[in-house]
Amino acid sequence: AYSPVAAGQVGIGALISGHPLVGFSAIAAVMAATTALALPAIVILTVFPATFGYWRVGPASANLSLADVTLALGFIAALPYAPWRAPALRRMLRIAAVYAAMLSISVVFHPSQRATIEVLHRLFLVVCAVSVGAAVTNLGRIATSLRIFVAAAALVAGAAVVDALTHWPSHSQLPRPAYPWGIHKNAAGFLIACALVLLIVAQNELKVSRTLRAPILLLLFAGLIACQSRGSGVTLILVLLLWSFTSDRARISPLTIAGALVVVIVTVVSVNALFAADERASQFNSLNSRITTYDATMALWKDSKLTGLGLKYWREPALARSLAFGEPHNLVVSALGETGIIGLVALAYLVAATGKLARSRRETMATVALLLIVAKAVDSMLGIFWVAGTLTLPFLIVGIALGRQADRAAVDPRTTAPHALANTQS
């Protein structure tokens, strides 16, 4: 009975003696997996605040973020609790599989270890996040998970305000963009915007009192403004407009309207400042660096329109010099550059099919899931789509919505025996 354990100990001992870093990494992985299995609920709930975890962990070659590692552990913990037989969850997993299969066409034409790993990484982000979200619903921890995320967003927003005020240049009318605890302003801004959407659209799901809700909203709006993430500000306004126009019962409070107006004003002022910098011919500002990368990518794409240049092509030494600024911060340009027309169609399918699956569920969390998927796509027109954390959160909410459908199907009197229904309700 102890032979596998003994064999594992001998193996890890051999690794430590010959390759200390690999050996200790193996020990850390075993300990983390054991924790995920021993304390599943805690590990699963930790995935939500860990979406802000952009700090790098582990060996530099792996380049893993804390958000990646926590999502992997959360998936291990979620395995016994996710409703794997639920039709909606299976359909979402099929959507992810079809996307990965279409993406693999580019890998066939542009094979590399980097490209193969990237396909697996994208599949990992979607499948793990959806599975963890579905497990949260199955465990009855929806309100807890959302509260934890909003609380984390409020803390980051507070840190952003402090960072902006304490580093305000004396010669500038505006403070510099905040990088709370080293988190990139665009990542922090987007996740804070997601927290605002949750607090506004899904306030009944969070079960936060009105007395507490108002100051949290104010803090989140202030944090978003401090980050000066133009894409996140525009995205938030568009998503709230979409919700207000498509929901029959949508009621936006005066506080929400005031906050949205402030975000619009600050976004406009920030954009004007950006163009002022552009007039000073600063080739390294965010606008000119994006344009330079877009032009370089599209020029290279013309030679391989159907399958692109290969996943993570900007890391190829032969292309790095011509691209100058690396990965394009645009969803469409990046997809065309990496995987060509086939990859762009695959990405459109993933976003549209996921949105359609969420839209077919007529309840609050499904609405939030649809809004956040749209938000991620819109925000990525000025940013990067495939990033753990900002991509993880929308698919976590998709998983919650799909898990809720499975939960309702389990107690549907049309498909459940009377005695089973009574047991479930009790």
Side-chain angles (χ1 to χ4, degrees):
Y2 293 100
S3 58
V5 177
Q9 291 175 338
V10 171
I12 291 177
L15 280 174
I16 291 176
S17 61
H19 305 279
L21 182 59
V22 177
F24 285 115
S25 298
I27 292 175
V30 171
M31 292 176 64
T34 303
T35 303
L37 295 174
L39 303 169
I42 294 176
V43 174
I44 289 171
L45 292 175
T46 304
V47 175
F48 287 79
T51 52
F52 286 95
Y54 282 83
W55 307 284
R56 296 292 153 180
V57 296
S61 58
N63 197 29
L64 293 174
S65 67
L66 182 62
D68 281 308
V69 174
T70 308
L71 179 59
L73 294 176
F75 177 68
I76 294 172
L79 287 174
Y81 302 100
W84 300 112
R85 295 185 180 181
L89 181 58
R90 289 190 173 189
R91 185 177 175 187
M92 184 65 235
L93 297 180
R94 285 197 296 270
I95 290 171
V98 170
Y99 169 75
M102 295 179 70
L103 208 64
S104 299
I105 297 175
S106 176
V107 179
V108 172
F109 284 90
H110 307 282
S112 70
Q113 182 181 6
R114 185 183 296 113
T116 303
I117 292 175
E118 180 60 18
V119 173
L120 296 176
H121 179 243
R122 295 183 182 185
L123 191 62
F124 156 80
L125 288 177
V126 175
V127 170
C128 291
V130 170
S131 302
V132 169
V136 165
T137 300
N138 206 23
L139 289 168
R141 302 293 182 89
I142 295 178
T144 304
S145 63
L146 299 182
R147 286 178 181 177
I148 291 174
F149 172 73
V150 171
L155 288 173
V156 173
V161 172
V162 172
D163 183 64
L165 293 177
T166 55
H167 295 89
W168 195 321
S170 57
H171 60 278
S172 175
Q173 295 180 349
L174 289 175
R176 70 167 181 77
Y179 287 75
W181 296 319
I183 303 172
H184 194 278
K185 68 181 185 69
N186 292 332
F190 177 77
L191 290 172
I192 291 172
C194 289
L196 282 165
V197 172
L198 282 167
L199 206 56
I200 294 168
V201 180
Q203 52 184 296
N204 293 331
E205 296 288 343
L206 272 78
K207 301 176 182 177
V208 177
S209 66
R210 291 184 179 181
T211 305
L212 189 60
R213 180 171 171 267
I216 295 176
L217 277 172
L218 283 172
L219 181 58
L220 291 174
F221 275 122
L224 180 58
I225 292 168
C227 289
Q228 296 185 41
S229 175
R230 291 173 288 271
S232 300
V234 172
T235 298
L236 176 63
I237 301 304
L238 291 178
V239 166
L240 291 180
L241 287 174
L242 175 64
W243 174 61
S244 63
F245 289 148
T246 58
S247 176
D248 296 332
R249 296 178 295 175
R251 295 179 181 178
I252 301 180
S253 66
L255 177 62
T256 301
I257 295 174
L261 287 175
V262 172
V263 170
V264 170
I265 293 171
V266 172
T267 301
V268 170
V269 172
S270 180
V271 170
N272 287 336
L274 175 65
F275 279 100
D278 180 47
E279 292 174 358
R280 291 193 295 269
S282 174
Q283 62 174 321
F284 300 106
N285 66 29
S286 60
L287 177 64
N288 284 334
S289 64
R290 280 174 167 79
I291 293 174
T292 300
T293 309
Y294 297 166
D295 291 342
T297 296
M298 297 310 293
L300 292 169
W301 167 74
K302 291 178 181 179
D303 295 330
S304 184
K305 294 182 179 180
L306 196 60
T307 59
L309 304 168
L311 288 163
K312 298 288 184 180
Y313 65 88
W314 56 85
R315 295 190 183 277
E316 293 293 336
L319 298 177
R321 292 183 179 178
S322 60
L323 291 171
F325 291 98
E327 181 175 4
H329 285 57
N330 180 282
L331 179 64
V332 175
V333 175
S334 178
L336 284 174
E338 284 190 299
T339 51
I341 296 174
I342 293 176
L344 182 60
V345 171
L347 182 60
Y349 165 76
L350 174 67
V351 174
T354 303
K356 183 179 179 181
L357 186 60
R359 195 168 188 269
S360 64
R361 280 59 180 152
R362 296 188 176 275
E363 55 96 24
T364 302
M365 292 311 301
T367 299
V368 175
L370 175 60
L371 292 176
L372 294 188
I373 289 295
V374 172
K376 178 58 181 172
V378 172
D379 183 73
S380 297
M381 297 305 292
L382 292 173
I384 300 175
F385 189 77
W386 292 103
V387 180
T390 56
L391 184 76
T392 305
L393 194 277
F395 279 101
L396 283 171
I397 305 302
V398 169
I400 287 176
L402 300 184
R404 171 161 287 181
Q405 189 222 15
D407 184 55
R408 287 182 175 179
V411 296
D412 191 337
R414 295 172 297 179
T415 58
T416 309
H419 66 278
L421 178 61
N423 292 335
T424 303
Q425 292 175 336
S426 63

